[in-house]
Structure formats: C-alpha cells, structure tokens
Amino acid sequence: MVAFDRVEKHSQGCIVQQNLTMVTDLYRRPGVGYRMTGIGVNRFDGERWLELWADNQWGAIALGGMPAAGKAMVLTTLIPSRNRDLRLEWEKRADGSVRALQYVAPAGSGKWELYGDLIYRPNR
C-alpha cells in the first residue's frame, strides 16, 4: 500500500472528488519533510472530463480528457505545470481494480516517460 485515496460523488453525482493521502515517500518532493496529500475535483462538462488537482508537494494542475480506445480514461494537462505536461491513464481491470499509469513530458514536447504505475483496490 502506498496511499489512501477516497473517491466520492458530490452534487447529485455531477462532481467526483478525490482526497489522496500518501503513506509512503513515493511522490515526496526532494527536500520536503512531509508526505504528499492532495485533492482533485472532476466534472464532465458535456464534451470532456475536467480535473483540477492541487497538492502540498508539486502545486496545482488542470487536466482534460475522455475515455480512449481500449477502455482507458485519458486525462492530459491543459496548461503545463512546472514546465512539464502530465498524462494520466485510468483503466478498469477484470478483478474490479483500476490501474493508473502516469506519464510526464517536458512541456509541449510529447515525449512521454512513465512516471508512476499504481493499482487502486477498494478498501472495504
């Protein structure tokens, strides 16, 4: 286990809120004496999903996207953050878990490198 991530529907199911608390140093920024926590607010605007993310380590980022071919939800930065782009790919797996692949690239380059590969499992 690397984190607790509480995901809840709000506002008659129109908004999805994510509250992340890391229990490891996986995403701790160098020189910071505490672990990462963050919040995401997601909303479908009629054309695409939008996510606004903010945390205590890396800052804030706005992403947008849609499900892609192959069933994955793909969100990509709308505005670069810290001179880099971010792409998140969420894919539901047969066992009910969700795989989250995280890619980063220098802003505007399209040269994606895998940054994180996480498996989300229900905590019940």
Side-chain angles (χ1 to χ4, degrees), residues 74-103:
V74 178
L75 299 174
T76 307
T77 51
L78 299 172
I79 301 169
S81 176
R82 297 183 170 269
N83 202 31
R84 65 183 185 161
D85 290 324
L86 176 65
R87 186 176 79 213
L88 306 175
E89 297 180 6
W90 303 85
E91 185 173 276
K92 190 171 183 178
R93 298 169 14 139
D95 66 359
S97 65
V98 174
R99 184 176 187 189
L101 296 171
Q102 303 163 333
Y103 297 89

Side-chain angles (χ1 to χ4, degrees), residues 17 42 61 66 83 106-107:
Q17 181 177 331
N42 299 266
I61 193 164
M66 291 290 297
N83 202 31

